[in-house]
Amino acid sequence: MFNYLISLALKAKNLNSIILVISLIAVGCENGQDKKESLSEISDINPPASGFDSINSDPKAIAWADATMKAMGGRKKWDNTRYLAWNFFDRRDLIWDKYTGNVRIEVPQDSIIYLTNINDNTGKVRIKGRQVQESDSIKNLMKRAKSIWINDSYWLVMPFKLKDSGVTLNYLREDTTLIGAQSHVLGLTFNEVGDTPNNGYEIYITKSDSLVKQWAFFGNAAQDSASAIWPWDNYQNYNGLLLSADRSDGLGPHDVQVYESLSEEAFTDFDWKMTE
């Protein structure tokens, strides 16, 4: 197209014609650049993690995953959120540094404190006041700590992980939650990732606000009916990030906190305590 316009400019008999043709070329170039930037901006809203199954995932399901990310504060807010702290089922307390992978896990009923890094599986553990020294024991305990984090963090931030590595998303149907909220239902399965790759979930995203309001758990993704169905409700705003805590069934995360800064001792010192 541009070559054709250029040939017209060369053949033009007067100055006004030349100016007109050159203007058309300039507008075309400008619009093309705007389109390129616009598409780039759209693609950067919520890019998938490396390894996300974009080939077998439904575009409609991906679109609703992106809508959920936006409704919960947006990808930029999620990426810029560094420290998350919560209590899981009144059993243990966790603090997670998303930037470094450092995690502190305290299990009061067993008198255990894990100080671990989920990226390289290093760290240390104190049990009943004694720091574990044996290398084999430490290795096993680090594996246990990571499993705890995988499980407990999923109960807190699952909607932000809909496009994680190894995940396949499918749009299943329109349906209602147990309390009657009209929803889009996504099917979520895993491809050889995590501790329980055979698990599956149905994620209910309500039409009214694009938020996850219910999830159904399948111990085996191929089974016909859910093993359990839980609400994902009572959203609260944490510095611009919406998180579901203290849910209506009393299960899941409690005492959720989001911090902009935190002492490094939280992940290195067994005796560290949060100070207000």
Side-chain angles (χ1 to χ4, degrees), residues 105-135:
I105 304 172
E106 297 191 32
V107 190
Q109 62 186 14
D110 297 327
S111 299
I112 300 177
I113 299 176
Y114 301 89
L115 302 177
T116 187
N117 185 285
I118 57 171
N119 295 332
D120 60 17
N121 297 314
T122 60
K124 54 188 179 180
V125 184
R126 189 170 76 180
I127 302 177
K128 299 184 185 303
R130 172 186 171 272
Q131 182 173 340
V132 177
Q133 301 293 341
E134 298 79 14
S135 59

Side-chain angles (χ1 to χ4, degrees), residues 174-195:
E174 293 186 12
D175 206 340
T176 57
T177 65
L178 293 178
I179 62 171
Q182 295 290 328
S183 304
H184 300 279
V185 183
L186 309 187
L188 187 157
T189 55
F190 305 97
N191 182 20
E192 299 181 357
V193 293
D195 286 351

Side-chain angles (χ1 to χ4, degrees), residues 257 259 272-276:
Q257 299 291 332
Y259 299 101
W272 175 87
K273 298 295 182 184
M274 178 70 73
T275 57
E276 298 295 337

Side-chain angles (χ1 to χ4, degrees), residues 262-273:
L262 206 58
S263 170
E264 186 64 24
E265 292 179 350
F267 308 102
T268 61
D269 185 353
F270 289 118
D271 296 317
W272 175 87
K273 298 295 182 184

Side-chain angles (χ1 to χ4, degrees), residues 198-213:
N198 292 327
N199 288 174
Y201 294 91
E202 289 188 354
I203 310 300
Y204 288 68
I205 300 174
T206 49
K207 295 182 179 181
S208 60
D209 54 17
S210 300
L211 292 173
V212 174
K213 292 295 179 62

Side-chain angles (χ1 to χ4, degrees), residues 66-244:
D66 292 341
T68 297
M69 174 69 80
K70 182 178 180 180
M72 295 181 70
R75 178 59 178 266
K76 183 176 180 180
K77 174 60 69 172
W78 169 243
D79 287 344
N80 289 341
T81 297
R82 179 167 182 176
Y83 300 101
L84 294 169
W86 71 102
N87 172 274
F88 181 75
F89 274 79
D90 297 320
R91 298 176 188 170
R92 46 194 177 241
D93 297 295
L94 299 93
I95 303 176
W96 172 27
D97 181 347
K98 287 173 61 228
Y99 288 11
T100 65
N102 288 330
V103 178
R104 181 187 186 96
I105 304 172
E106 297 191 32
V107 190
Q109 62 186 14
D110 297 327
S111 299
I112 300 177
I113 299 176
Y114 301 89
L115 302 177
T116 187
N117 185 285
I118 57 171
N119 295 332
D120 60 17
N121 297 314
T122 60
K124 54 188 179 180
V125 184
R126 189 170 76 180
I127 302 177
K128 299 184 185 303
R130 172 186 171 272
Q131 182 173 340
V132 177
Q133 301 293 341
E134 298 79 14
S135 59
D136 288 345
S137 297
I138 294 173
K139 182 178 180 180
N140 290 332
L141 289 166
M142 290 299 98
K143 183 178 180 180
R144 170 59 180 157
K146 185 167 185 176
S147 293
I148 291 173
W149 171 82
I150 289 173
N151 180 79
D152 296 7
S153 65
Y154 208 69
W155 277 79
L156 178 65
V157 299
M158 175 270 295
F160 295 105
K161 297 170 71 65
L162 294 177
K163 294 167 70 174
D164 257 12
S165 179
V167 169
T168 302
L169 285 179
N170 288 291
Y171 187 92
L172 300 180
R173 62 187 183 277
E174 293 186 12
D175 206 340
T176 57
T177 65
L178 293 178
I179 62 171
Q182 295 290 328
S183 304
H184 300 279
V185 183
L186 309 187
L188 187 157
T189 55
F190 305 97
N191 182 20
E192 299 181 357
V193 293
D195 286 351
T196 52
N198 292 327
N199 288 174
Y201 294 91
E202 289 188 354
I203 310 300
Y204 288 68
I205 300 174
T206 49
K207 295 182 179 181
S208 60
D209 54 17
S210 300
L211 292 173
V212 174
K213 292 295 179 62
Q214 179 175 288
W215 61 331
F217 167 69
F218 294 74
N220 187 308
Q223 66 192 54
D224 294 330
S225 58
S227 304
I229 301 175
W230 303 296
W232 191 288
D233 54 13
N234 193 29
Y235 280 86
Q236 300 175 48
N237 191 312
Y238 299 87
N239 301 330
L241 198 71
L242 294 185
L243 295 171
S244 165

